[in-house]
Structures are given as C-alpha cells and as structure tokens.
Amino acid sequence: MLKFMCGEMVVLSALAAVSGCAVDAPASTGDELTAVEGSSVVHLQPVRAASKVADVAPPGAHLTYWGGPLLGTVHVSPIYWNSAVQFQSTLSLFYNDVPNSPLYTLLGQYGVGHGSGVPGIVGANTTRNILDADVRNEVLSEINQGRVAPPNDPNAYYPVHLAPGMQVTAPDGSRSCVQFCAYHGTFQVQNSAGTLFNVNYGVLPDLSGACNGICGANPAVVNNTTSVASHELIEATTDPAVGLATTFGPPLGWYDPNNGEIGDICNAQQGTTTGNGRSYVIQLEFSNAVNNCVAQ
C-alpha cells in the first residue's frame, strides 16, 4: 500500500488501482448506478499551521505525472447540502469563472485546459454530523435523480458544500475544522451492465464557526471559502483519481512524493484571479515552469 502525504496528513489507499475512466457506455435513462464496494480514501487539505504560512514553495518541490487520468476540460456540478449553505450564488459563479481564469491557463503545462461549471443544486439533507459515506450517498443520489451530470462524462467534478454547524468525518477518522479544511476523493459506481465509472467529488465544510481563522487568513469567510474551494478544484483537475491509487503510477495524476498534490505544495497561500470579469480570492498553485506558487 502507498502512503500519500497530504501536507501533514497521511492517508492509506486499500483500493485496487484503476487505469483511467470508463467512458464508452454511459448510463441510460432509468439505468440506476450503484456504488462499488470498497473503502473510500480521500486527499485531505490540512488546516493552516499556527505559524505564518510560507510565502514560497518548499525547496525541491516538483510535480511528476504518473500516468493517471486528468480532467482536461473540467465540468463542475456543485451540490449544496441544504438551503442553509452559505454563498451559493457566489459559488455557482465561481465554479464557472475560475476554470476560465488565468489560474487555469497556468495548468496548460500539465496538459489541462479551461473548463466550465453549472449552477449548483440544493439538497434537502438535515443531518449535521456526517461521515464521508453520507456525502458519497448524496452525490450518487443526485446523479441517479438526474439533477447533476452523469459520471460517464470523464471531466465531471462534484464539489459538495456543507452548511454551518456541520462536521464531517473523513474515512481515516479525521474531522473537519480540527484536522482538515476540505478534501477530494474518488469512488466508483457501475451500471446494470457492470461498466465502471469514476466519481470525482470534493467535500467543502462551512468555514465559519470552528473553521474561522484556521482555514484561511482572509478576514472574509466568503474569500476563504473560494480559496479552499480552489485548492480542491485544481487538485481534482490535475489528480482526480488519487483516491484509487496504490502506487506511484496510474491512476495517480500529477503528484510530488515529498509534498503532495499541486495545492498541497502551496497550502493556504492566497492570491486573486479573474474569470469572466469577476475576481475571486484563490489559493496559489504550484508551477513546475517557474518553480514556485503562483496565480497565473
């Protein structure tokens, strides 16, 4: 088994490696997808260190491509846990604007282009203390209801935003706003013919309350929210199947064995980007081309 270092967090993958997304047999109308059994492994974004966040990338940082899938033109389908989720209008714009910003232009060096997003859909969930399995069940339920894009789209990404006062526990027992600010992962589903599809999802806790100050240095919660969301969005784009990897090879995408994914290298370093005429606070991302954390 492979140990993945997520900043200061360690997660273990116990799933068999899968070499890419199956896309040749989309689920037909009425063909309900079911989850494939297996433990879920996620890639955690740790809380900010109590000390000042470094202004530069760690020495020797470098992303290597390990042969796994990429979201070449990401298609974002946000899911809001319920109507209490904050900043829904901003986030729905964010997920369409940022994939069309200079932040995504810099990803050209990693074989990724610009993408798009659709307005988020609102769930009717009332559970407040949840497990990662609850999030996966919600994503699958929305897919089967036809409320979000089906996973036969190899560029689909489903960020799930949680409401204030909620706490989510990751598969390794880590808790939101204690050990981590957000995470992304991968699980697999299949149709009645047994065709497998990867579901690339993110989990974004509300950053007010217990998360305030430890998941972003900006004085405005909305700005820390978009910063943390950009970290997961870019990582899901450049390393979507990290949750299925067991070795430094496929289905791992762009990864630094010493420092983690593209966002981990620059964790909590904030900047701004502009897409479709709107500006957002985002996290800087690592560029192999300039060997540093940048916004474009």
Side-chain angles (χ1 to χ4, degrees):
M1 296 198 300
L2 172 66
K3 289 186 177 181
F4 284 119
M5 298 301 297
C6 305
E8 298 178 350
M9 313 299 294
V10 179
V11 294
L12 300 178
S13 178
L15 291 172
V18 177
S19 58
C21 299
V23 299
D24 57 340
S28 60
T29 302
D31 187 3
E32 185 170 282
L33 298 172
T34 57
V36 176
E37 292 297 323
S39 59
S40 176
V41 177
V42 300
H43 192 82
L44 303 170
Q45 178 182 163
V47 298
R48 293 175 65 240
S51 59
K52 183 178 183 292
V53 176
D55 292 324
V56 297
H62 187 82
L63 291 165
T64 298
Y65 179 56
W66 299 94
L70 306 172
L71 305 189
T73 54
V74 64
H75 299 152
V76 189
S77 293
I79 299 171
Y80 306 126
W81 192 251
N82 56 36
S83 60
V85 172
Q86 297 194 86
F87 317 123
Q88 293 181 32
S89 297
T90 297
L91 288 167
S92 288
L93 291 171
F94 164 89
Y95 282 119
N96 187 56
D97 293 344
V98 170
N100 289 286
S101 74
L103 190 64
Y104 261 74
T105 301
L106 80 84
L107 298 185
Q109 65 189 288
Y110 304 120
V112 170
H114 292 117
S116 60
V118 297
I121 60 98
V122 182
N125 302 287
T126 58
T127 308
R128 299 182 69 82
N129 294 319
I130 62 173
L131 303 175
D132 178 69
D134 297 314
V135 179
R136 287 182 278 128
N137 288 339
E138 168 63 10
V139 174
L140 183 54
S141 173
E142 300 296 354
I143 290 171
N144 280 327
Q145 292 178 65
R147 301 220 302 155
V148 294
N152 59 287
D153 175 356
N155 292 300
Y157 169 57
Y158 310 93
V160 181
H161 284 264
L162 305 181
M166 293 184 63
Q167 184 170 77
V168 58
T169 301
D172 69 348
S174 299
R175 293 175 296 159
S176 59
C177 305
V178 179
Q179 286 88 16
F180 67 86
C181 297
Y183 62 81
H184 74 103
T186 324
F187 67 96
Q188 291 191 301
V189 297
Q190 63 184 356
N191 62 14
S192 60
T195 304
L196 292 175
F197 305 95
N198 288 356
V199 178
N200 310 305
Y201 71 109
V203 178
L204 291 303
D206 181 84
L207 298 189
S208 56
C211 274
N212 188 31
I214 64 172
C215 291
N218 195 282
V221 173
V222 64
N223 291 334
N224 291 325
T225 298
T226 57
S227 176
V228 167
S230 71
H231 177 123
E232 299 307 327
L233 173 63
I234 301 293
E235 288 191 341
T237 299
T238 56
D239 192 25
V242 63
L244 302 176
T246 59
T247 185
F248 290 118
L252 202 62
W254 288 95
Y255 199 91
D256 178 339
N258 296 314
N259 299 292
E261 294 181 313
I262 185 171
D264 300 323
I265 299 172
C266 308
N267 190 46
Q269 298 181 44
Q270 293 183 336
T272 60
T273 196
T274 300
N276 298 326
R278 286 176 284 268
S279 181
Y280 300 92
V281 173
I282 47 83
Q283 188 196 282
L284 304 183
E285 306 295 336
F286 185 75
S287 168
N288 277 351
V290 300
N291 195 36
N292 208 348
C293 301
V294 295
Q296 60 183 32

